[in-house]
mmCIF file with all atom_site columns, all heavy atoms in Angstrom:
data_model
loop_
_atom_site.group_PDB
_atom_site.id
_atom_site.type_symbol
_atom_site.label_atom_id
_atom_site.label_alt_id
_atom_site.label_comp_id
_atom_site.label_asym_id
_atom_site.label_entity_id
_atom_site.label_seq_id
_atom_site.pdbx_PDB_ins_code
_atom_site.Cartn_x
_atom_site.Cartn_y
_atom_site.Cartn_z
_atom_site.occupancy
_atom_site.B_iso_or_equiv
_atom_site.pdbx_formal_charge
_atom_site.auth_seq_id
_atom_site.auth_comp_id
_atom_site.auth_asym_id
_atom_site.auth_atom_id
_atom_site.pdbx_PDB_model_num
ATOM 1  N N   . GLU A 1 90 ? 18.157 99.147  145.027 1.00 0.00 ? 90 GLU A N   1
ATOM 2  C CA  . GLU A 1 90 ? 17.080 99.108  144.027 1.00 0.00 ? 90 GLU A CA  1
ATOM 3  C C   . GLU A 1 90 ? 16.660 97.662  143.765 1.00 0.00 ? 90 GLU A C   1
ATOM 4  O O   . GLU A 1 90 ? 15.472 97.368  143.662 1.00 0.00 ? 90 GLU A O   1
ATOM 5  C CB  . GLU A 1 90 ? 17.528 99.757  142.713 1.00 0.00 ? 90 GLU A CB  1
ATOM 6  C CG  . GLU A 1 90 ? 17.718 101.255 142.777 1.00 0.00 ? 90 GLU A CG  1
ATOM 7  C CD  . GLU A 1 90 ? 16.444 102.009 143.097 1.00 0.00 ? 90 GLU A CD  1
ATOM 8  O OE1 . GLU A 1 90 ? 15.382 101.673 142.551 1.00 0.00 ? 90 GLU A OE1 1
ATOM 9  O OE2 . GLU A 1 90 ? 16.515 102.941 143.918 1.00 0.00 ? 90 GLU A OE2 1
ATOM 10 N N   . LEU A 1 91 ? 17.632 96.779  143.631 1.00 0.00 ? 91 LEU A N   1
ATOM 11 C CA  . LEU A 1 91 ? 17.319 95.367  143.384 1.00 0.00 ? 91 LEU A CA  1
ATOM 12 C C   . LEU A 1 91 ? 16.564 94.757  144.562 1.00 0.00 ? 91 LEU A C   1
ATOM 13 O O   . LEU A 1 91 ? 15.643 93.955  144.365 1.00 0.00 ? 91 LEU A O   1
ATOM 14 C CB  . LEU A 1 91 ? 18.598 94.577  143.091 1.00 0.00 ? 91 LEU A CB  1
ATOM 15 C CG  . LEU A 1 91 ? 19.283 94.878  141.762 1.00 0.00 ? 91 LEU A CG  1
ATOM 16 C CD1 . LEU A 1 91 ? 20.584 94.101  141.649 1.00 0.00 ? 91 LEU A CD1 1
ATOM 17 C CD2 . LEU A 1 91 ? 18.363 94.566  140.586 1.00 0.00 ? 91 LEU A CD2 1
ATOM 18 N N   . LYS A 1 92 ? 16.954 95.146  145.771 1.00 0.00 ? 92 LYS A N   1
ATOM 19 C CA  . LYS A 1 92 ? 16.261 94.642  146.960 1.00 0.00 ? 92 LYS A CA  1
ATOM 20 C C   . LYS A 1 92 ? 14.804 95.077  146.952 1.00 0.00 ? 92 LYS A C   1
ATOM 21 O O   . LYS A 1 92 ? 13.909 94.297  147.274 1.00 0.00 ? 92 LYS A O   1
ATOM 22 C CB  . LYS A 1 92 ? 16.925 95.186  148.235 1.00 0.00 ? 92 LYS A CB  1
ATOM 23 C CG  . LYS A 1 92 ? 17.914 94.250  148.854 1.00 0.00 ? 92 LYS A CG  1
ATOM 24 C CD  . LYS A 1 92 ? 18.311 94.772  150.221 1.00 0.00 ? 92 LYS A CD  1
ATOM 25 C CE  . LYS A 1 92 ? 19.813 94.789  150.318 1.00 0.00 ? 92 LYS A CE  1
ATOM 26 N NZ  . LYS A 1 92 ? 20.309 95.456  151.503 1.00 0.00 ? 92 LYS A NZ  1
ATOM 27 N N   . LYS A 1 93 ? 14.570 96.351  146.584 1.00 0.00 ? 93 LYS A N   1
ATOM 28 C CA  . LYS A 1 93 ? 13.200 96.883  146.550 1.00 0.00 ? 93 LYS A CA  1
ATOM 29 C C   . LYS A 1 93 ? 12.334 96.128  145.560 1.00 0.00 ? 93 LYS A C   1
ATOM 30 O O   . LYS A 1 93 ? 11.168 95.890  145.813 1.00 0.00 ? 93 LYS A O   1
ATOM 31 C CB  . LYS A 1 93 ? 13.211 98.370  146.146 1.00 0.00 ? 93 LYS A CB  1
ATOM 32 C CG  . LYS A 1 93 ? 13.600 99.317  147.228 1.00 0.00 ? 93 LYS A CG  1
ATOM 33 C CD  . LYS A 1 93 ? 13.487 100.738 146.712 1.00 0.00 ? 93 LYS A CD  1
ATOM 34 C CE  . LYS A 1 93 ? 14.379 101.662 147.483 1.00 0.00 ? 93 LYS A CE  1
ATOM 35 N NZ  . LYS A 1 93 ? 14.501 102.970 146.833 1.00 0.00 ? 93 LYS A NZ  1
ATOM 36 N N   . THR A 1 94 ? 12.903 95.791  144.404 1.00 0.00 ? 94 THR A N   1
ATOM 37 C CA  . THR A 1 94 ? 12.117 95.107  143.373 1.00 0.00 ? 94 THR A CA  1
ATOM 38 C C   . THR A 1 94 ? 12.092 93.602  143.590 1.00 0.00 ? 94 THR A C   1
ATOM 39 O O   . THR A 1 94 ? 11.426 92.897  142.838 1.00 0.00 ? 94 THR A O   1
ATOM 40 C CB  . THR A 1 94 ? 12.669 95.411  141.965 1.00 0.00 ? 94 THR A CB  1
ATOM 41 O OG1 . THR A 1 94 ? 14.019 94.967  141.872 1.00 0.00 ? 94 THR A OG1 1
ATOM 42 C CG2 . THR A 1 94 ? 12.576 96.890  141.640 1.00 0.00 ? 94 THR A CG2 1
ATOM 43 N N   . GLY A 1 95 ? 12.833 93.112  144.579 1.00 0.00 ? 95 GLY A N   1
ATOM 44 C CA  . GLY A 1 95 ? 12.834 91.688  144.882 1.00 0.00 ? 95 GLY A CA  1
ATOM 45 C C   . GLY A 1 95 ? 13.503 90.844  143.816 1.00 0.00 ? 95 GLY A C   1
ATOM 46 O O   . GLY A 1 95 ? 13.180 89.678  143.658 1.00 0.00 ? 95 GLY A O   1
ATOM 47 N N   . ASN A 1 96 ? 14.455 91.413  143.107 1.00 0.00 ? 96 ASN A N   1
ATOM 48 C CA  . ASN A 1 96 ? 15.148 90.682  142.037 1.00 0.00 ? 96 ASN A CA  1
ATOM 49 C C   . ASN A 1 96 ? 16.101 89.662  142.657 1.00 0.00 ? 96 ASN A C   1
ATOM 50 O O   . ASN A 1 96 ? 17.055 90.009  143.332 1.00 0.00 ? 96 ASN A O   1
ATOM 51 C CB  . ASN A 1 96 ? 15.929 91.675  141.164 1.00 0.00 ? 96 ASN A CB  1
ATOM 52 C CG  . ASN A 1 96 ? 16.442 91.042  139.899 1.00 0.00 ? 96 ASN A CG  1
ATOM 53 O OD1 . ASN A 1 96 ? 16.652 89.841  139.832 1.00 0.00 ? 96 ASN A OD1 1
ATOM 54 N ND2 . ASN A 1 96 ? 16.650 91.870  138.891 1.00 0.00 ? 96 ASN A ND2 1
ATOM 55 N N   . LYS A 1 97 ? 15.823 88.415  142.396 1.00 0.00 ? 97 LYS A N   1
ATOM 56 C CA  . LYS A 1 97 ? 16.629 87.334  142.982 1.00 0.00 ? 97 LYS A CA  1
ATOM 57 C C   . LYS A 1 97 ? 17.802 86.916  142.097 1.00 0.00 ? 97 LYS A C   1
ATOM 58 O O   . LYS A 1 97 ? 18.730 86.304  142.547 1.00 0.00 ? 97 LYS A O   1
ATOM 59 C CB  . LYS A 1 97 ? 15.759 86.109  143.269 1.00 0.00 ? 97 LYS A CB  1
ATOM 60 C CG  . LYS A 1 97 ? 14.591 86.372  144.175 1.00 0.00 ? 97 LYS A CG  1
ATOM 61 C CD  . LYS A 1 97 ? 15.019 86.658  145.593 1.00 0.00 ? 97 LYS A CD  1
ATOM 62 C CE  . LYS A 1 97 ? 13.832 86.820  146.496 1.00 0.00 ? 97 LYS A CE  1
ATOM 63 N NZ  . LYS A 1 97 ? 13.833 87.974  147.307 1.00 0.00 ? 97 LYS A NZ  1
ATOM 64 N N   . GLY A 1 98 ? 17.757 87.252  140.812 1.00 0.00 ? 98 GLY A N   1
ATOM 65 C CA  . GLY A 1 98 ? 18.788 86.792  139.887 1.00 0.00 ? 98 GLY A CA  1
ATOM 66 C C   . GLY A 1 98 ? 19.974 87.740  139.801 1.00 0.00 ? 98 GLY A C   1
ATOM 67 O O   . GLY A 1 98 ? 20.348 88.177  138.730 1.00 0.00 ? 98 GLY A O   1
#
Side-chain angles (χ1 to χ4, degrees):
E90 291 297 318
L91 290 176
K92 263 190 230 171
K93 282 183 204 168
T94 60
N96 191 334
K97 303 291 184 230

